[in-house]
Amino acid sequence: MAQLTMVQAINQALAGEMRRDDRVVVLGEDVGKVGGVFRVTEGLYDEFGEDRVIDTPLAEGGIIGTAIGMALYGLRPVPEIQFADFIFPAFDQIVSEAAKMRWRSGGEYACPIVIRTPVGGGIRGGLYHSQSPESLFIHTAGLKVVCPSNPYDAKGLLLASIRDDDPVLFMEPKRVYRAVKMDVPEGDYEVPLGRAKVVREGRAVTVVSWGAMVYESLAAAEHVSGEGVDAEVIDLRTLWPLDVDTIVESVKKTGRLVVVHEAPKTCGFGAEIVQRVMEQAFLHLEAPPARVTGWDTPFPYTLENEYLPLAHRIAPALASTAAF
Amino acid sequence: MTDMDVGASTSAGTREAASAHAEAIVRLRVIDERLAALGDAGTIGFLPRATGREAALVGVIAALSPTDWVFPGASDWPVAALRGMRLDTFVHRVFADANDPLRGREAPAGVSARALRIASSSAPAATHLPHAVGVAWAARTRGEELACVALLDAPEVDAADFHTALNFAGVMKAPVVFACRVRAGQAGAAEHAIAYGLFEARCDGSDADAVEAALREALERALRGEGATVLDLELGADDEAHARAVAALGAERAASLGARFENELASALAAADRAGRPDLSTLFEDVYGELPEHLRAQLAEARG
């Protein structure tokens, strides 16, 4: 079995699905001949041609708007937005059109598009190449939001997303793109949407995270294990629909919850996760749920490691929550 | 129940076609006035008047082949009736009642009919225009001979998605026509075509025959692979299209048609009055392809 990076795993998923299903098309800025800004679509143009791998004008609203049209026709478009920071010109198309298409048409039209976009910081990208805007999309009825943390999940979740009949925002943690290699089966497999994974078992405190922050959460868990705090770490994988059951089951065991995410704290997805736990496991809680997140500021360039909720900020939260 | 087909089988430019267009305009005026009265009375929600746009709508729909797609703008509710939706279904739609194919989710002006190749309309300005490009492009690459017509009104020319759609249409060489209703004193859309390598055309938007002919020419050009067209439908005074239709039919025949159609409409309206409201479950269904757990729980909570 080959050891692949996330970039390679996503590329393999796209190529495999394009071979299997000729309705699948890829479009975006420089996704064709160049192979995408991160080379995720490298080689697809040569194999599938310009009718299925489309270099578009630099206009995100047009990329998503035309992808919606292709989906209405019956294709399975996979548009790429170069950075999630640049998704906002397409926000109207995603939120007002794609998300509402099935509902407003009485179920006559579906909009099965998968919007791939790199997210997150830690690559010295500054404020317009680092953001994590998941909450804005989770808040919109009709969208599914996915964020894999590793190459295996990235491939399986992408295949499940393309085969899903609803619009999916597929957020790729760019810090992980080439930082991790792992065994990825060459063949076809799906990681089902809506299922979180316990990536570290423990009994003292539950940590919920996703994307690049899973690694920081695991590092923090290792750190506090030396202090006798046995943390359980959950990788959400799909942010919406949320796998509440896995979280609640864990919190019922540990009685404690820490949520970690890169996005700003206020109205971040962590707040929703905490509230779900309050509703379903309140009497099991032994400590106030905590959030370790990005600050309520724009994403900084020089001070990005002070902004990000890295392990050195997570570990004290685990220790204090466990000791409460 | 009566269909409102405008007579797509008639040949463009013939006396039969002109008469069918005139009849469709007279019928549309009956619907427009009756529904406007219901809107004023609060029986239904707000429905923008079709006044002044009748001939443009009739001409556009007449020019389409059954395989072509039409992308209605936010006020283009008449396209469903003009393209063959059953009158009773159309009225249920406007009433947004239990028999509404859109399940009561859209305000009266909303329109969508997959079987008639009518795309789902929405209120934001010009957001539907890139969708038309996407469908047209997809069909072209799949070897299916069809074109898309996207309807818009002149103020939408200011919106970013208008320019984005024209840009993508030019780059993708999509078989699409942007048909823009332009009233006196408004800047049109056609003048922007040259910037994106598209064809520009204009016609009398109060003359259904002229609209049909201009759109057919643009559609044929698109299907030959020559590119998209931005077509300005230049509207006259609000009553001009209707007055021309009445003159073409003769006042007596127009009045008789109007009365007959009032009767047909009355029975559809009575059926809508009896239909009742959509079930509460329709609020939660179709948000996703399958009802997810959180919406299942919220439906149960809403039922109390």
Side-chain angles (χ1 to χ4, degrees), chain B residues 278-282 284-285 296-304:
Chain B
D279 187 79
L280 191 58
S281 61
T282 63
F284 298 90
E285 290 163 354
R296 197 180 304 278
Q298 288 178 22
L299 171 59
E301 184 181 346
R303 285 204 192 284

Side-chain angles (χ1 to χ4, degrees), chain A residues 22 51 54 57 62-63 65-66 69-70 72-73 75 92-93 97 102-109 142-143 166 240, chain B residues 105 112-114 118 120-122 127 130-131 134-135 137 142 144 161 164 167-168 283 285-289 294:
Chain A
D22 73 359
D51 282 349
I54 308 148
I63 294 169
T66 50
M70 294 172 196
L72 296 179
Y73 180 79
L75 303 188
D92 198 15
Q93 286 290 347
E97 302 294 327
R102 183 194 297 280
W103 194 83
R104 79 182 193 213
S105 69
E108 285 191 339
Y109 288 108
L143 299 177
D166 293 311
W240 199 256
Chain B
R105 293 164 183 159
S112 174
R114 188 183 178 97
I118 298 171
S120 165
S121 67
S122 67
T127 48
H131 305 173
V135 168
W137 179 90
R142 302 287 146 155
E144 187 180 356
D161 275 350
T164 299
N167 189 21
F168 275 64
L283 175 57
E285 290 163 354
D286 297 328
V287 177
Y288 297 94
H294 72 287

Side-chain angles (χ1 to χ4, degrees), chain B residues 58-260:
Chain B
V58 166
V60 163
I61 298 302
L64 300 177
S65 74
T67 51
D68 292 335
W69 287 53
V70 60
F71 290 75
S75 302
D76 289 323
W77 55 268
V79 299
L82 292 172
R83 213 178 184 194
M85 183 178 278
R86 289 168 53 101
L87 181 58
D88 54 349
T89 306
F90 171 78
V91 171
H92 285 305
R93 162 74 287 274
V94 172
F95 273 62
D97 61 28
N99 296 329
D100 171 16
L102 306 192
R103 314 187 80 184
R105 293 164 183 159
E106 274 277 23
V111 56
S112 174
R114 188 183 178 97
L116 301 173
R117 296 206 166 189
I118 298 171
S120 165
S121 67
S122 67
T127 48
H128 59 307
L129 305 182
H131 305 173
V133 177
V135 168
W137 179 90
R140 185 178 68 76
T141 61
R142 302 287 146 155
E144 187 180 356
E145 186 163 305
L146 66 81
C148 294
V149 175
L151 295 166
L152 67 150
D153 292 291
E156 291 178 272
V157 170
D158 295 337
D161 275 350
F162 167 77
H163 296 274
T164 299
L166 266 59
N167 189 21
F168 275 64
V171 170
M172 293 175 142
K173 303 202 183 324
V176 60
V177 180
F178 304 98
C180 180
R181 278 68 56 99
V182 184
R183 293 180 184 273
Q186 289 181 321
E191 65 189 70
H192 296 280
I194 190 171
Y196 301 103
L198 310 184
F199 293 93
E200 63 179 280
R202 293 171 181 80
C203 70
D204 180 351
S206 296
D207 180 340
D209 295 340
V211 171
E212 182 182 358
L215 184 53
R216 279 185 190 276
E217 185 182 337
L219 289 168
E220 285 163 11
R221 185 163 50 222
L223 289 173
R224 287 196 302 271
E226 294 174 22
T229 297
V230 187
L231 171 62
D232 276 355
L233 312 174
E234 296 169 334
L235 304 184
D238 266 359
D239 202 43
E240 191 171 332
H242 184 252
R244 285 190 200 177
V246 170
L249 292 168
E252 193 175 332
R253 180 163 156 66
S256 150
L257 273 173
R260 199 179 80 201

